[in-house]
């Protein structure tokens, strides 16, 4: 499906949000509000989500419009990779989530791994910074950068969290159904390349 409409909605929303932040003229403010409404109408027309929810989640931010950041922890044990089963869709993902105000990317990775898998880890190195639009994820209203951070287990035991229903290590040739909003098979396979080649350069889109 041609998803140009989604790109247009994101761009219109970003222009409106930035204009509402810095605009001074009352008539300009009204025009930016109209642009924001148009972006909401586009999403409401092409999705099954109602306008109220779209306005609340997609068109309620303020300040200069910037991408959101999703951080994923990459943990290996016995040449297998740590994945957690997401309660929301029953599929599997590298532990992680949105970046948190006040925490560095490494601190977020450590926190998310502990909360979702039960393991204590230390961060080792950044593996990749990817733009979701290039990597076959399902369409969504946000522009998102994904950071993958290699971590090493120092303690803890496998335990599920509020958002996870199972914790397991998987061989590269026996991956389960993946939560495509969070990670793709190609991305997980790329993480194994860093296991095979520890000096592999960081991947940047």
């Amino acid at each position: 499906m041609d998803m140009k409409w989604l790109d247009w909605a994101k761009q219109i929303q970003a222009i409106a949000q930035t204009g509402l932040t810095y605009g001074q003229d009352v008539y300009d403010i009204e025009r930016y509000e109209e642009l924001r409404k148009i972006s909401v109408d586009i999403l409401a027309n092409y999705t099954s989500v109602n306008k109220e929810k779209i306005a609340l989640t997609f068109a309620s931010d303020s300040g200069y419009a910037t991408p959101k950041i999703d951080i994923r922890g990459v943990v290996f044990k016995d040449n297998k990779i740590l994945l957690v089963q997401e309660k929301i869709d029953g599929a599997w993902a590298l532990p992680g989530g949105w970046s948190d105000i006040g925490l560095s990317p490494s601190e977020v990775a450590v926190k998310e791994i502990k909360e979702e898998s039960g393991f204590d880890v230390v961060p080792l190195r950044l593996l990749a910074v990817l733009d979701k639009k290039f990597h076959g994820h399902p369409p969504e209203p946000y522009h998102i950068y994904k950071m993958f951070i290699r971590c090493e287990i120092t303690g803890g035991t496998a335990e599920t969290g509020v958002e996870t229903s199972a914790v397991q290590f998987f061989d590269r040739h026996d991956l389960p159904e993946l939560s495509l909003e969070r990670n793709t098979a190609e991305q997980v396979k790329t993480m194994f390349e860093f296991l095979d080649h520890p000096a592999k350069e960081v991947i940047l889109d």
Side-chain angles (χ1 to χ4, degrees):
M1 179 186 296
D2 185 355
M3 302 302 293
K4 274 293 185 183
W5 62 267
L6 183 55
D7 291 335
W8 293 333
K10 291 178 183 179
Q11 292 168 13
I12 292 170
Q13 156 57 19
I15 292 169
Q17 181 176 320
T18 302
L20 288 170
T21 299
Y22 297 108
Q24 300 292 324
D25 184 87
V26 62
Y27 298 109
D28 286 341
I29 297 298
E30 288 181 357
R31 294 184 185 100
Y32 289 128
E33 289 285 5
E34 284 301 315
L35 282 175
R36 175 166 270 186
K37 289 178 183 177
I38 290 171
S39 72
V40 171
D41 286 342
I42 292 172
L43 283 186
N45 186 65
Y46 284 96
T47 69
S48 60
V49 183
N50 63 56
K51 285 187 179 182
E52 290 74 18
K53 185 172 182 179
I54 292 172
L56 200 64
T57 59
F58 171 61
S60 63
D61 286 345
S62 60
Y64 188 84
T66 61
K68 298 173 76 69
I69 300 174
D70 174 42
I71 297 175
R72 296 287 146 182
V74 181
V75 179
F76 293 104
K77 180 181 178 183
D78 299 328
N79 294 320
K80 295 182 178 181
I81 198 165
L82 174 65
L83 299 177
V84 294
Q85 188 174 37
E86 300 284 345
K87 288 182 178 179
I88 194 168
D89 60 8
W92 294 77
L94 297 165
W98 295 125
S99 57
D100 295 311
I101 300 297
L103 296 182
S104 72
S106 292
E107 289 173 327
V108 172
V110 170
K111 178 181 75 72
E112 292 289 338
I113 290 170
K114 179 63 175 179
E115 291 177 351
E116 296 188 354
S117 74
F119 291 110
D120 299 311
V121 300
V122 294
L124 299 179
R125 62 171 295 214
L126 176 68
L127 303 182
V129 179
L130 307 180
D131 188 322
K132 285 188 74 172
K133 70 181 180 183
F134 295 133
H135 295 276
H137 294 276
E140 59 187 307
Y142 304 109
H143 190 168
I144 298 171
Y145 295 161
K146 296 183 67 64
M147 300 179 69
F148 295 82
I149 298 175
R150 174 78 183 271
C151 298
E152 183 176 38
I153 294 176
T154 59
T157 57
E159 294 181 7
T160 58
V162 174
E163 299 176 343
T164 57
S165 55
V167 178
Q168 192 171 331
F169 288 87
F170 289 90
D171 182 88
R172 73 184 74 196
H173 302 298
D174 190 29
L175 295 176
E177 178 186 359
L178 296 174
S179 180
L180 295 182
E181 287 189 5
R182 295 162 181 80
N183 43 217
T184 66
E186 191 63 34
Q187 289 167 348
V188 174
K189 291 176 182 177
T190 298
M191 297 306 110
F192 275 104
E193 293 178 10
F194 285 98
L195 177 64
D196 297 334
H197 307 285
K200 181 179 173 67
E201 291 187 2
V202 173
I203 300 174
L204 295 174
D205 280 337

